[in-house]
Amino acid sequence: MIKQDLDSIETKAEFILREATSRFRNVAALWSMGKDSTVMLAIARKAFLGKVPFPVIHIDNSIDFPEAYEFRDSLAKKWRLNLIVAESAIKRNLIGAACCGKNKTEALKTVMAEYGFDALIVSIRRDEHGIRAKERYMSPRDKDFKWDYKNQPAELWDNYTSKLDTDGHVRIHPLLDWNEIDIWRYIKRERIPVNPLYFSNGRQRYRSLGCTHCTTPLKSKAKTVEGIIKELEADKDEERSGRSMDKEREYVMQKLRALGYM
Amino acid sequence: MEIINAAFLGNKDHGKSTLIGNMLMLSGSATQARIDEAKKYSKRFHKDFEPAFILDSFAEERREGMTYDTTRGEMEYRGSAFALIDVPGHEELIKNMISGASYANFVVLLVSAKRGEGVTKQTKRHLFLARMMGIGKAIVAVNKMDTVEYRKERFDEIKEDIQPFLEEIGFEGRDLFFIPISAYYADNLLGHSKNMKWYTGRSLFEIMRLLGGNGEGKEAGRLPLRIAVQSMLNDDSGSVVVGKIISGKLQLGEQIMVLPQGLVRRIRRVFVGGKAVKAARAGENVALGIGNVETIPRGSVIAGKHDGLVAVDRINALIFFSRKPEKDITINFCGAELGASLAILNNIDVTTGKRIAGKSIKPLGAADALLRTSKKIPAEPFEKNHELGRFTVYSKGLFIGIGIVK
Ligand SMILES: Nc1nc2c(ncn2[C@@H]2O[C@H](COP(=O)(O)OP(=O)(O)OP(=O)(O)O)[C@@H](O)[C@H]2O)c(=O)[nH]1
Ligand SMILES: [Mg+2]
């Protein structure tokens, strides 16, 4: 896994965040309390002179790990976040992709409509999956959250010109260039607090956090940020392999994204 | 570590995605999950193994065996790192090709040696666009050498075929390389192929390392100060102007001019990464306190007070059209959108690089044009400053091309 120059990917992320707030009327960010979206918020604090200027949305399906809630509330207070909690109805009979896709997406749609957000910052990275590697930094979604991946807007130089010509919204991806290992190196460098579930209990840890329904831990002894970086230096597996969703039917990622799943 | 961006260009089916896929796999840069997935779908579509499927991830791409949209894979090998940018070769997808290629430090142009393939219009169009976007270094990789028994004659034939065009548009000398390869069978990619002993030059990776080594980018720091304004922010002690330093450097206390407004001010506060600092340089995002100002709109540019940058509304430009515009066009310059009108002076044949008579706009063609903008903008010749010398063109909200200020 390539370790990139943290200053240069940080600068680019900052630039994209500033583009987002200056080009769109009503911006919000998704905050899963996971490492990526927390890193994004840390960068936003730098870009906007200490304060995150947009509301952060947590889609709460009330089956998140208890540790996650404690982490959320303490960081929201410390960083003075404008936190919007969107309750998603849990449908017990749905698991995996259907669960993430339906529950979370429906809840997000409701919040987006209620507040009228026209741009949504989502902290995805190219190295997560081949389909994500096809994303733009700014990418329009229609009112049903559909991604027209066969006809994406041109995006070149610093002209992230995606426009909104439907009543949908534009997804903003400031961390698209980052690799998993960069996230952890940045967390270390900037001393960013992270959800304790990422660290090993001696036998296993979570590499990526969905909710209790579809996240499975991986074998690991890493109890510190340094430990995780060491493990990643030696490892080649894509991190989402710990989520049951990715083991499902063909092209599930693509279908979900076309349907508006993050 | 520093990552050099290499865009892989060329006609549809000449092997761009295959080459990148194999480079990623052979260098140990592709994850096992990505390789397994590529294997699985190769089998599903009754193919031996398509390394292209490591990049081509959409169902349609795999089913049709062609790239729809640009993506990239990162490769690390023997202490060097590259982002290998894949683009679609299909003519109708040129906007996606431009999007991918725009990030490149140099290009790898693929030409298939297979009978009936060879140098095409699209091969040349891709090169023309790369050159137009300011890319000066190219590797011409003559691919599918396995289909012509690895014969030197075929390689020479293709080299002779494309060489005059490369010179015409300005790829030459130490910044231009030719290499025979087989992307599929991995000949001459990372090491030296036994199938082409007649080729004694460097492997593709070695050439890439050579071209990537003499880094650019650092140049921007030596150019005059230019800041592209994004927006304004309010903090406790007033408003600050927010933007990115596209070239040069600045210091606290320095006098600056805001264009096109012509406003002269002194820099009173500088923030980088949320912290107050005394100086900043090219590439950094800044927030500047310059005293009380009215809103400074996006697209404005901050320059040194005395360096002679002026705002203009008549611009001589070279424009590539990905499609035919409607009457009204808009351009995007430095993040701001503005209306414009076009008078075509002459066309340019993108397959010869030569100017030809004609005042109509041809899709997938280029032209010299006089651009009149609805407002004055601080544009500069592309040669002088890339960021202030280029723009994207839209018509009815659709992307229709890119332009370079002459
Ligand atoms: N025999 C042979 N076949 C090759 C070689 N390189 C690529 N191919 C085949 O050529 C076909 C097209 O290759 P791709 O890599 O998809 O071509 P591309 O340039 O990415 O095409 P677009 O994405 O449509 O622009 C595939 O079936 C490859 O297996 C080669 O070196 N030798
Ligand atoms: Mg391809």
Side-chain angles (χ1 to χ4, degrees):
Chain A
M1 212 179 279
I2 299 186
K3 293 183 204 155
Q4 303 185 73
D5 175 36
L6 293 181
D7 288 335
S8 69
I9 50 178
E10 177 196 53
T11 302
K12 179 137 176 201
E14 228 182 356
F15 178 80
I16 295 168
L17 287 170
R18 285 175 165 189
E19 279 295 283
T21 55
S22 100
R23 291 201 31 226
F24 296 95
R25 196 174 29 81
N26 196 2
V27 181
L30 275 180
W31 184 38
S32 65
M33 288 115 65
K35 62 188 191 312
D36 306 297
S37 52
T38 307
V39 160
M40 181 278 296
L41 291 179
I43 297 172
R45 294 178 75 225
K46 286 189 164 192
F48 301 102
L49 306 177
K51 183 152 188 352
V52 178
F54 38 76
V56 298
I57 304 172
H58 172 223
I59 314 258
D60 185 4
N61 50 14
S62 64
I63 50 170
D64 270 325
F65 298 95
E67 290 90 334
Y69 292 105
E70 282 164 33
F71 175 74
R72 177 188 78 189
D73 296 337
S74 78
L75 202 61
K77 199 168 157 208
K78 192 169 158 204
W79 284 358
R80 294 176 295 146
L81 302 174
N82 176 1
L83 179 68
I84 299 174
V85 175
E87 308 270 345
S88 85
I90 215 68
K91 303 186 179 87
R92 294 272 162 206
N93 52 342
L94 295 177
I95 52 158
C99 171
C100 279
K102 267 232 160 53
N103 290 340
K104 292 199 174 175
T105 305
E106 288 313 317
L108 183 59
K109 277 182 184 164
T110 310
V111 172
M112 295 287 289
E114 188 181 328
Y115 289 83
F117 295 124
D118 59 351
L120 183 69
I121 299 164
V122 187
S123 306
I124 59 165
R125 307 189 322 268
R126 266 193 212 100
D127 74 338
E128 288 177 88
H129 194 280
I131 302 266
R132 288 199 170 176
K134 292 266 175 185
E135 282 276 8
R136 299 279 197 259
Y137 297 106
M138 291 196 186
S139 173
R141 298 294 198 265
D142 74 5
K143 68 175 190 319
D144 299 318
F145 280 24
K146 284 209 180 77
W147 179 33
D148 189 4
Y149 60 85
K150 279 199 271 186
N151 185 24
Q152 300 200 69
E155 184 173 83
L156 55 150
W157 304 321
D158 281 341
N159 286 353
Y160 307 133
T161 46
S162 270
K163 267 205 298 208
L164 214 54
D165 46 8
T166 57
D167 34 7
H169 68 277
V170 172
R171 294 272 165 99
I172 317 281
H173 303 137
L175 300 188
L176 202 55
D177 290 342
W178 292 52
N179 290 329
E180 186 185 7
I181 199 162
D182 299 324
I183 295 281
W184 285 108
R185 289 167 58 232
Y186 191 76
I187 285 170
K188 182 177 171 207
R189 188 181 92 170
E190 305 286 315
R191 302 205 184 115
I192 297 168
V194 285
N195 199 322
L197 289 165
Y198 284 113
F199 301 114
S200 173
N201 60 6
R203 285 172 295 113
Q204 54 184 32
R205 70 175 192 90
Y206 292 93
R207 190 167 179 185
S208 139
L209 300 180
C211 65
T212 45
H213 272 194
C214 70
T215 309
T216 49
L218 60 96
K219 271 204 195 108
S220 162
K221 290 207 164 64
K223 286 186 176 167
T224 59
V225 176
E226 287 81 2
I228 292 175
I229 294 172
K230 279 228 175 66
E231 259 184 28
L232 290 174
E233 280 170 343
D235 189 279
K236 286 223 168 83
D237 274 341
E238 286 185 37
E239 78 201 90
R240 294 173 67 90
S241 58
R243 289 201 198 172
S244 66
M245 223 182 74
D246 295 322
K247 297 184 185 125
E248 293 179 17
R249 325 190 303 279
E250 68 196 79
Y251 301 120
V252 69
M253 272 299 278
Q254 178 179 349
K255 276 187 193 146
L256 286 174
R257 292 183 72 71
L259 288 171
Y261 167 69
M262 307 64 82
Chain B
M1 68 200 301
E2 194 192 3
I3 298 189
I4 309 290
N5 293 334
F8 288 62
L9 312 182
N11 199 95
K12 178 173 149 39
D13 279 344
H14 283 207
K16 301 174 290 296
S17 308
T18 304
L19 179 54
I20 298 175
N22 253 341
M23 298 273 280
L24 292 175
M25 222 164 50
L26 297 171
S27 63
S29 308
T31 61
Q32 195 55 47
R34 289 285 273 275
I35 297 169
D36 289 345
E37 196 183 307
K39 280 190 180 144
K40 183 168 124 199
Y41 286 100
S42 299
K43 206 181 257 167
R44 176 152 315 163
F45 295 114
H46 310 290
K47 299 190 176 165
D48 281 345
F49 174 59
E50 289 290 350
F53 287 3
I54 293 176
L55 286 303
D56 290 337
S57 304
F58 292 137
E60 293 81 354
E61 292 179 319
R62 290 173 176 166
R63 197 181 316 118
E64 294 162 33
M66 69 177 262
T67 303
Y68 270 71
D69 213 330
T70 179
T71 184
R72 65 178 79 175
E74 286 176 4
M75 160 176 166
E76 185 177 9
Y77 189 61
R78 296 202 178 157
S80 298
F82 296 95
L84 311 179
I85 302 173
D86 191 20
V87 306
H90 198 290
E91 289 185 353
E92 279 178 28
L93 301 168
I94 200 89
K95 73 168 165 42
N96 297 342
M97 175 271 170
I98 293 173
S99 303
S102 72
Y103 298 108
N105 300 97
F106 65 84
V107 299
V108 179
L109 177 87
L110 278 88
V111 183
S112 167
K114 199 169 170 179
R115 288 286 158 206
E117 294 189 343
V119 176
T120 68
K121 278 189 181 172
Q122 184 74 341
T123 308
K124 292 179 172 172
R125 187 176 287 121
H126 276 195
L127 277 174
F128 181 90
L129 276 163
R131 194 73 195 98
M132 177 176 170
M133 291 193 275
I135 299 163
K137 303 180 208 172
I139 304 170
V140 177
V142 177
N143 189 30
K144 306 197 190 180
M145 287 299 292
D146 56 287
T147 64
V148 292
E149 289 99 42
Y150 297 103
R151 281 192 354 259
K152 180 172 186 301
E153 295 73 36
R154 181 63 175 150
F155 173 69
D156 290 338
E157 193 176 283
I158 285 176
K159 189 172 164 183
E160 274 160 38
D161 206 5
I162 188 103
Q163 190 127 30
F165 177 71
L166 285 160
E167 276 168 25
E168 178 70 36
I169 62 172
F171 285 108
E172 56 205 345
R174 291 189 317 164
D175 289 336
L176 176 63
F177 286 84
F178 291 88
I179 182 174
I181 63 165
S182 166
Y184 192 85
Y185 294 104
D187 291 295
N188 288 338
L189 305 193
L190 300 183
H192 298 260
S193 166
K194 292 198 177 62
N195 294 319
M196 289 175 276
K197 292 240 170 69
W198 50 265
Y199 175 78
T200 53
R202 295 179 169 87
S203 71
L204 180 59
F205 169 73
E206 287 161 352
I207 303 173
M208 286 172 61
R209 189 150 68 170
L210 196 72
L211 283 188
N214 34 3
E216 300 150 30
K218 285 140 206 149
E219 263 174 47
R222 290 198 291 271
L223 296 173
L225 173 68
R226 303 284 184 259
I227 303 168
V229 174
Q230 287 175 291
S231 62
M232 309 275 291
L233 266 183
N234 284 315
D235 80 339
D236 306 335
S237 32
S239 62
V240 289
V241 188
V242 167
K244 178 173 141 187
I245 306 184
I246 55 188
S247 61
K249 47 187 185 302
L250 64 79
Q251 261 177 334
L252 203 64
E254 189 177 333
Q255 286 218 312
I256 46 104
M257 180 182 273
V258 186
L259 289 112
Q261 298 82 346
L263 203 68
V264 175
R265 282 285 190 282
R266 191 176 293 283
I267 302 177
R268 298 170 182 213
R269 297 185 295 151
V270 183
F271 298 93
V272 174
K275 286 206 186 83
V277 293
K278 291 206 166 73
R281 59 189 155 78
E284 288 182 322
N285 301 305
V286 289
L288 301 178
I290 55 170
N292 280 336
V293 285
E294 306 235 325
T295 302
I296 297 175
R298 284 172 68 76
S300 304
V301 171
I302 293 176
K305 184 189 164 193
H306 295 294
D307 71 8
L309 181 64
V310 288
V312 294
D313 54 9
R314 290 163 65 96
I315 293 165
N316 270 306
L318 163 63
I319 301 179
F320 176 87
F321 294 97
S322 59
R323 54 196 294 166
K324 212 175 154 71
E326 305 280 326
K327 208 162 173 59
D328 295 326
I329 67 160
T330 55
I331 66 162
N332 193 299
F333 170 80
C334 247
E337 214 174 285
L338 59 158
S341 70
L342 268 183
I344 302 292
L345 305 174
N346 57 264
N347 285 111
I348 295 169
D349 183 344
V350 295
T351 66
T352 61
K354 298 216 159 65
R355 308 206 134 67
I356 45 174
K359 295 201 188 309
S360 67
I361 290 170
K362 302 208 170 47
L364 301 179
D368 290 315
L370 178 66
L371 185 77
R372 287 163 197 259
T373 53
S374 60
K375 279 180 237 150
K376 289 197 169 183
I377 54 172
E380 283 190 286
F382 183 69
E383 294 301 327
K384 257 185 148 173
N385 192 309
H386 281 194
E387 272 90 345
L388 294 188
R390 64 194 182 191
F391 53 90
T392 43
V393 191
Y394 297 81
S395 177
K396 294 242 149 91
L398 285 178
F399 174 83
I400 60 148
I402 58 173
I404 295 299
V405 179
K406 289 201 293 203

